[in-house]
Amino acid sequence: MARVEDTLHDREIRQAGAIGEAGTLRDEEITVSDFTTELAERIPGVEFELEPEQEMLTVNMGPHHPATHGVLRLVVDLEGEVVKDLKPVIGYVHTGIEKSCETMQYWKVIPFVERMDYLSYFFNMQAYVGAVEKLIGLEVPRRAQWLRVLHMELNRIHSHLVWLGTSALDLGAMGVYFYCFRDRDRVLDTFEMSTGQRMHTRYFQIGGVAEDIPAGFEQKVRKTIEQLKTGIGQYEALLDKNEIFLIRTKDVGVVSRERLVELGVTGPLLRAAGDPWDLRKEGGYLAYPELEFDVPVGTVGDGYDRYRVRLTEMRESIKIIEQILDGLPEGPWIADDRKYALPPRAELSTSMESLIHHFKLVTEGFRVEPGEVYNPIESPRGELGCFVMADGSSKPARVHFREPSFVNLQALADMTIGEYVADLIQTLAMLDPILGGIDR
Amino acid sequence: MPDAPGLELILAEINREHPGAVLDTSYDREQAALIIDPSKVIEVLTWLKQTPGQEYTFLSSVHGADHFPLTPRFAVHYELLNRERYERLRVKAVIPDPGAAPTEVSVVAPGSSDAGAVDSDSGERGSSMEMPETEGRSTVLDGETLPVVPSVVELFPTADFQEREVHDFFGIVFEGHPDLRRILMPEDYVGWPQRRDFPVGGEPVIFTRDEVTNPGWWQ
């Protein structure tokens, strides 16, 4: 479908008169007249005249800009190099996942929702599966809860590694990107070992997880986290002493904690501004109340704090993973309720009931009493909530995801207006938006 | 999370200040919800945000729901959160479909507005489908009658994108929204895709060989 947005949008901005009055500068006002006087001082004898039309420039960043981490288009109004107004235009990878979910049985929805935010698939699964479990009142076995937390924390490291690599790449630190992707691959190897897939694993089932972890998985994860520990130290050393990185991130993109809460921003962005808000601590879902970990917070809320918070979060995740490997409880890994969870494969050849249950579950699925549940969890980007509405049939009547990237993106204008356009790249990178999650 | 009696208290207190604002409460699967009149959204949310002892200052999520073919058809859900006590409260504005044919069958239980019907001990699950009727306002946009709900962007700036999303997918007009345009679908799109009577698929895929059979697709 052809788009008419480009012309419409530009015209709209001009008509609305938004140019030049939306933002205020934080440090010093850089106006065109200042610029001309400075030029006149530097190059004496030459007259500089700038047309009024040249003062404001509307630029499209994206949708195919490499620094927008996907297909995000930012309509930026520039006065010189200073951002005066910013409007995100999204929807380029909208695939109607929420609508498609309504046509699928409850257990068939899981692979759909995984593909929304493609870097945090375990979290998407947990948000959805947890909501359905609340709807049907199903208790998850303790071992399954611990296994879920293990995979989610590995996933958090994986997501933060991709963020660190691409953000450092945006700021010109090329090497970090390769190191991060090397370590990310190691995390994906562990996923491959336990679930059979590197990404989009469909490992969480309603009532537990699909399969127990294989023999040798513990050693594999232990080896991986040892490598990660060294790796994270290396990235820290690479970036923390990098003068360019420090200058470009410190005191850039600061928004006050109160304003962030107003804008609904959660996750590392809010924690970097000094608010220790973490649903793993507050909500206490799955095995998190039994595990010990700290919530890192920043002080200023600039790009550097966001980087530090995420780096420390990776270390905390490693701490959680170690505790899980040490104390993983024995027992079943999926609920024993045959109305909702598939029977073990071996039983199908001996038990008629199992065969019937298997057949019913696979062909029709299970029915859910009418009701609605909102299940929030802490994803790498903030509060990921899944709203599921049941109407009594075997398909959900509505699946909605409160995507943290989608909500956090609203804060981008507050972060960038009044700053240089070069800092916009940095701020966007530290915001960590995933367009698959924003557009769904 | 406020339990069923706590919800009744909230209902009574809000209705004392704004008569008829809260129509019903539901406490189901440990999820607390107030069912409210859509025209009183701002009053109720302001009360919940600013009254000492309530202070639901964080709006987690705004989403729409379509109960087709039941009536009232639409609902806009506001997921409120008190961060100090970690209490969540869902506020549901139930909206009838102004574009519906008048012959539509109503399945609303006649006594569902009875406040005493919600009892957490009786094990009776309050169905989301049994909601009291409200008189919603409507507006006409491009020849289509759409329901109207007041926007809460001034109260909760986070609702900006989320209300645009609800508008985009359900065709609910948020009155007072500063920039109510489609957000995820193309701006020239026709129809409200998340409505239950909107078919899945049917979007023609354009190839070079289809150009003749898809006349005017570039417009």
Side-chain angles (χ1 to χ4, degrees):
Chain A
M1 198 64 71
R3 286 177 177 268
V4 290
E5 274 169 2
D6 302 52
T7 47
L8 266 183
H9 198 86
D10 296 351
R11 200 183 314 143
E12 191 180 26
I13 289 174
R14 292 214 181 83
Q15 280 172 356
I19 293 170
E21 54 191 49
T24 47
L25 287 174
R26 292 218 176 75
D27 295 321
E28 46 181 317
E29 188 89 23
I30 302 163
T31 57
V32 174
S33 56
D34 288 348
F35 185 59
T36 40
T37 29
E38 197 184 324
L39 276 181
E41 279 171 15
R42 285 191 185 183
I43 314 166
V46 185
E47 287 280 316
F48 286 98
E49 264 187 43
L50 293 174
E51 299 279 324
E53 288 83 14
Q54 289 175 319
E55 288 180 7
M56 191 63 74
L57 185 67
T58 305
V59 181
N60 268 314
M61 282 188 71
H64 295 298
H65 195 285
T68 53
H69 296 228
V71 269
L72 169 68
R73 181 172 137 218
L74 301 169
V75 182
V76 192
D77 286 345
L78 297 175
E79 194 184 81
E81 274 193 68
V82 180
V83 178
K84 284 292 183 184
D85 195 14
L86 178 140
K87 276 198 170 115
V89 180
I90 55 178
Y92 290 96
V93 283
H94 174 64
T95 42
I97 290 179
E98 287 175 2
K99 181 75 175 175
S100 304
C101 289
E102 291 171 15
T103 65
M104 292 287 154
Q105 293 151 19
Y106 280 93
W107 64 283
K108 287 184 184 171
V109 168
I110 301 172
F112 266 111
V113 298
E114 268 180 290
R115 281 153 177 80
M116 290 185 169
D117 184 342
Y118 43 81
L119 287 185
S120 57
Y121 31 95
F122 280 109
F123 295 92
N124 294 349
M125 265 191 283
Q126 171 55 35
Y128 171 73
V129 166
V132 177
E133 280 157 1
K134 275 188 191 169
L135 268 174
I136 57 184
L138 193 62
E139 190 68 33
V140 182
R142 202 150 163 265
R143 186 178 176 85
Q145 294 189 6
W146 283 59
L147 284 178
R148 281 187 184 180
V149 173
L150 171 66
H151 284 89
M152 277 157 63
E153 290 308 319
L154 280 171
N155 194 168
R156 192 184 306 274
I157 296 175
H158 151 57
S159 170
H160 281 350
L161 280 174
V162 174
W163 160 81
L164 181 63
T166 49
S167 302
L169 186 67
D170 287 348
L171 299 181
M174 192 84 183
V176 182
Y177 177 77
F178 297 112
Y179 294 131
C180 284
F181 268 63
R182 177 197 62 186
D183 273 355
R184 164 189 182 258
D185 250 33
R186 289 178 180 146
V187 178
L188 292 186
D189 284 343
T190 63
F191 290 161
E192 193 175 11
M193 190 168 180
S194 63
T195 68
Q197 294 286 330
R198 296 169 73 80
M199 290 180 83
H200 311 307
T201 57
R202 208 205 174 282
Y203 185 55
F204 295 177
Q205 304 273 40
I206 287 156
V209 295
E211 237 180 299
D212 203 358
I213 47 174
F217 183 68
E218 189 200 335
Q219 287 77 17
K220 173 99 177 164
V221 176
R222 279 197 197 279
K223 197 178 156 208
T224 308
I225 57 177
E226 282 312 314
Q227 288 167 330
L228 281 172
K229 275 185 201 166
T230 348
I232 292 168
Q234 285 172 351
Y235 316 141
E236 199 178 5
L238 271 174
L239 292 175
D240 255 0
K241 288 174 188 164
N242 185 331
E243 191 67 28
I244 301 170
F245 184 80
L246 293 181
I247 291 173
R248 288 201 63 183
T249 52
K250 281 202 170 171
D251 292 321
V252 172
V254 184
V255 178
S256 76
R257 171 178 163 177
E258 291 75 24
R259 179 68 185 156
L260 286 178
V261 171
E262 269 185 8
L263 288 166
V265 175
T266 44
L269 293 174
L270 184 59
R271 288 195 284 274
D275 200 328
W277 181 250
D278 193 324
L279 292 180
R280 292 178 291 173
K281 286 278 185 203
E282 309 288 336
Y285 55 97
L286 291 180
Y288 284 117
E290 301 172 59
L291 299 164
E292 240 180 66
F293 61 97
D294 297 325
V295 177
V297 289
T299 48
V300 189
D302 54 1
Y304 182 70
D305 274 359
R306 289 168 194 150
Y307 149 76
R308 292 296 311 180
V309 163
R310 287 198 177 96
L311 209 67
T312 321
E313 258 179 35
M314 283 200 264
R315 293 215 169 92
E316 294 301 321
S317 291
I318 289 177
K319 240 163 78 181
I320 296 177
I321 293 166
E322 278 176 339
Q323 290 172 52
I324 291 175
L325 291 178
D326 290 340
L328 186 64
E330 292 292 329
W333 59 88
I334 193 156
D336 197 28
D337 194 334
R338 296 291 158 79
K339 296 292 172 203
Y340 300 115
L342 282 176
R345 192 79 205 169
E347 269 185 29
L348 294 188
S349 50
T350 54
S351 160
M352 192 65 206
E353 284 79 23
S354 291
L355 196 62
I356 293 169
H357 279 136
H358 187 275
F359 180 75
K360 281 294 278 183
L361 275 177
V362 171
T363 51
E364 196 207 345
F366 52 82
R367 288 165 185 259
V368 178
E369 290 267 300
E372 46 206 15
V373 157
Y374 177 74
N375 181 39
I377 61 166
E378 183 77 23
S379 95
R381 276 160 276 283
E383 176 178 330
L384 174 69
C386 181
F387 172 78
V388 180
M389 188 169 85
D391 60 354
S393 71
S394 60
K395 294 170 183 172
R398 171 105 170 101
V399 178
H400 176 264
F401 270 72
R402 186 258 191 215
E403 268 291 340
S405 318
F406 181 74
V407 181
N408 291 356
L409 188 65
Q410 297 182 79
L412 186 62
D414 277 57
M415 288 175 184
T416 49
I417 287 176
E419 311 244 354
Y420 287 108
V421 68
D423 291 337
L424 169 61
I425 302 292
Q426 187 274 142
T427 312
L428 185 65
M430 294 296 160
L431 191 79
D432 190 19
I434 297 294
L435 270 293
I438 291 175
D439 289 349
R440 278 158 289 157
Chain B
M1 216 159 286
D3 52 1
L7 279 173
E8 290 304 320
L9 285 176
I10 294 176
L11 175 140
E13 283 186 40
I14 299 179
N15 277 354
R16 199 180 308 139
E17 277 188 40
H18 308 286
V22 184
L23 306 168
D24 202 352
T25 64
S26 89
Y27 188 76
D28 178 29
R29 294 157 168 102
E30 299 180 353
Q31 310 253 322
L34 294 175
I35 298 159
I36 63 165
D37 187 337
S39 58
K40 300 279 174 59
V41 168
I42 293 179
E43 284 90 339
V44 172
L45 291 194
T46 313
W47 190 89
L48 286 170
K49 186 182 180 185
Q50 289 166 359
T51 307
Q54 304 296 334
E55 286 158 346
Y56 291 91
T57 50
F58 191 83
L59 181 64
S60 283
S61 174
V62 180
H63 41 248
D66 184 1
H67 296 284
F68 183 77
L70 308 178
T71 56
R73 183 172 169 183
F74 299 112
V76 179
H77 297 195
Y78 303 86
E79 304 279 351
L80 294 173
L81 171 66
N82 179 314
R83 296 206 307 148
E84 278 72 42
R85 303 195 298 266
Y86 194 70
E87 279 187 0
R88 286 183 187 274
L89 177 63
R90 179 180 307 131
V91 176
K92 292 196 279 192
V94 288
I95 311 151
D97 184 10
T103 52
E104 202 165 336
V105 187
S106 172
V107 290
V108 173
S112 65
S113 59
D114 181 12
V118 180
D119 188 355
S120 58
D121 293 331
S122 68
E124 182 190 316
R125 285 190 157 165
S127 162
S128 65
M129 302 303 158
E130 295 165 11
M131 287 192 288
E133 280 283 1
T134 53
E135 284 181 25
R137 289 180 306 126
S138 62
T139 181
V140 178
L141 196 76
D142 293 339
E144 200 179 358
T145 318
L146 298 175
V148 174
V149 180
S151 166
V152 296
V153 173
E154 293 213 349
L155 196 60
F156 294 104
T158 175
D160 184 353
F161 275 20
Q162 307 192 45
E163 282 184 351
R164 276 178 72 186
E165 190 192 334
V166 176
H167 168 72
D168 192 354
F169 286 147
F170 290 93
I172 293 168
V173 175
F174 287 91
E175 195 180 48
H177 191 286
D179 185 23
L180 195 67
R181 290 177 292 130
R182 286 188 181 270
I183 185 164
L184 292 181
M185 303 302 287
E187 280 189 8
D188 52 355
Y189 195 80
V190 178
W192 312 106
Q194 281 278 355
R195 290 191 176 186
R196 294 283 276 165
D197 53 355
F198 191 91
V200 176
E203 187 88 351
V205 183
I206 311 295
F207 297 104
T208 319
R209 59 180 159 80
D210 298 313
E211 268 182 81
V212 191
T213 49
N214 275 312
W217 60 269
W218 57 86
Q219 284 168 358

